[in-house]
C-alpha cells in the first residue's frame, strides 16, 4: 500500500485490557490486534506521521453500565462495568507499544453520555476534539484498527467518513464484540457502503 504519510494518521481504537481476553468486556481474540497495530504504528512513527490512540474512560457509575439498573433506550446497549478511569482494565494492553503514540484521546468520561466514536459522543453532538486535531495537522486519510469492530471502530469510521476523511479499515487489526449476533458483519457491510476502504 502506498501511504501518503504527510496527510495520514493511524487511529488505534480502545486497545485496553477490559476489551481483551480476561477483561470485563472481553472481545474474542481482542489482543490479536496488538501485533499488527504495533507494526503499523512503528512505520507511521518512522515516517513522522501521527499515531493516535483512544481510551474508553468512564467514571464509576457511568450511564452505560448494566450495574446502574437503568432500562436501556430503544437500540441502546448497556455493558458490564468496564474501562473505569484509573483501573487496570482501562489501561492499554501491556504489549501495545506506546512509544509511537503521539496523542491519546479519552472518551466516555461524561457520566450521562456514552461515547463509542473517537470523534463524537453518542449524543452525536459533543466533539472529542479529534476532528479538529486532525484538521489542524492537515490529515486527510485515516487508517483505523482496534476494538471493537462493531462499536467503537464502527462509529469512529462512520464519523471519519462524515468529516470528509478517506478511511481505511485495517481488517487484520480489528476484532468485534458481535453482540447482538451478526453485528460484526452488519458493521462491515455498513462501513463498506459508506465508502470505508477495507484493506
Ligand atoms: C466499546 C462497548 C462499550 C468499544 C466501548 O470500545 O467498542 N464497546 N464501550
Ligand atoms: Zn464503554
Amino acid at each position: 500500500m502506498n501511504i501518503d504519510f504527510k496527510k495520514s494518521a493511524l487511529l488505534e481504537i480502545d486497545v485496553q485490557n477490559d476489551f481483551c481476553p480476561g477483561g470485563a468486556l472481553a472481545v474474542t481474540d481482542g489482543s490479536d490486534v496488538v501485533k499488527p497495530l504495533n507494526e503499523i504504528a512503528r512505520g507511521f512513527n518512522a515516517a513522522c506521521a501521527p499515531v493516535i490512540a483512544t481510551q474508553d474512560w468512564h467514571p464509576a457509575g457511568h450511564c452505560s453500565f448494566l450495574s446502574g439498573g437503568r432500562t436501556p433506550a430503544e437500540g441502546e446497549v448497556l455493558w458490564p462495568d468496564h474501562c473505569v478511569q484509573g483501573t487496570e482494565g482501562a489501561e492499554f494492553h501491556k504489549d501495545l507499544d506506546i512509544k509511537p503514540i503521539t496523542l491519546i484521546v479519552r472518551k466516555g468520561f461524561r457520566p450521562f453520555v456514552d461515547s463509542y466514536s473517537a470523534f463524537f459522543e453518542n449524543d452525536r453532538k459533543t466533539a472529542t476534539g479529534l476532528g479538529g486535531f486532525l484538521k489542524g495537522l492537515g490529515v486527510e486519510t485515516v487508517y483505523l484498527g482496534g476494538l471493537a469492530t462493531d462499536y467503537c471502530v464502527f462509529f469512529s469510521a462512520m464519523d471519519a467518513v462524515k468529516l470528509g476523511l478517506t478511511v481505511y479499515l485495517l481488517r487484520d487489526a480489528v476484532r468485534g464484540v458481535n453482540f447482538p449476533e451478526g453485528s460484526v458483519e452488519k458493521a462491515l457491510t455498513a462501513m463498506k457502503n459508506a465508502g470505508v476502504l477495507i484493506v
Side-chain angles (χ1 to χ4, degrees), residues 14 19 25 56 58 79 82 116 147-148 151-152:
D14 297 2
F19 299 123
L25 212 172
D56 211 29
H58 298 313
W79 309 99
H82 65 280
Y116 293 149
L147 306 169
Y151 288 94
C152 290

Side-chain angles (χ1 to χ4, degrees), residues 20-186:
C20 292
L25 212 172
V27 172
T28 308
D29 300 328
S31 41
D32 290 7
V33 305
V34 171
K35 199 166 174 250
L37 282 179
N38 281 346
E39 279 173 27
I40 298 161
R42 287 165 192 152
F44 270 69
N45 191 246
C48 302
V51 175
I52 296 139
T54 63
Q55 274 178 307
D56 211 29
W57 196 250
H58 298 313
H62 188 254
C63 64
S64 73
F65 296 170
L66 275 165
S67 57
R70 202 166 53 80
T71 307
E74 166 100 27
E76 188 189 8
V77 183
L78 298 180
W79 309 99
D81 289 21
H82 65 280
C83 297
V84 174
Q85 297 171 6
T87 63
E88 179 72 26
E91 292 305 310
F92 291 121
H93 185 284
K94 66 170 176 31
D95 296 328
L96 186 74
D97 187 355
I98 56 167
K99 290 190 301 295
I101 297 171
T102 56
L103 177 75
I104 296 171
V105 175
R106 288 173 168 171
K107 61 185 178 64
F109 54 80
R110 294 183 174 84
F112 302 109
V113 198
D114 202 5
S115 187
Y116 293 149
S117 164
F119 295 94
F120 294 98
E121 308 211 353
N122 290 8
D123 62 4
R124 309 276 75 223
K125 292 194 291 272
T126 307
T128 63
L130 179 57
F133 180 84
L134 293 177
K135 202 169 170 189
L137 290 180
V139 168
E140 294 174 4
T141 303
V142 291
Y143 293 79
L144 265 171
L147 306 169
T149 316
D150 38 351
Y151 288 94
C152 290
V153 172
F154 171 69
F155 280 90
S156 299
M158 298 298 270
D159 279 350
V161 170
K162 282 182 208 147
L163 290 173
L165 296 161
T166 300
V167 184
Y168 288 92
L169 180 84
L170 303 164
R171 187 68 188 87
D172 293 342
V174 293
R175 293 293 183 278
V177 176
N178 208 32
F179 177 84
E181 178 77 42
S183 66
V184 168
E185 268 319 302
K186 209 172 128 187

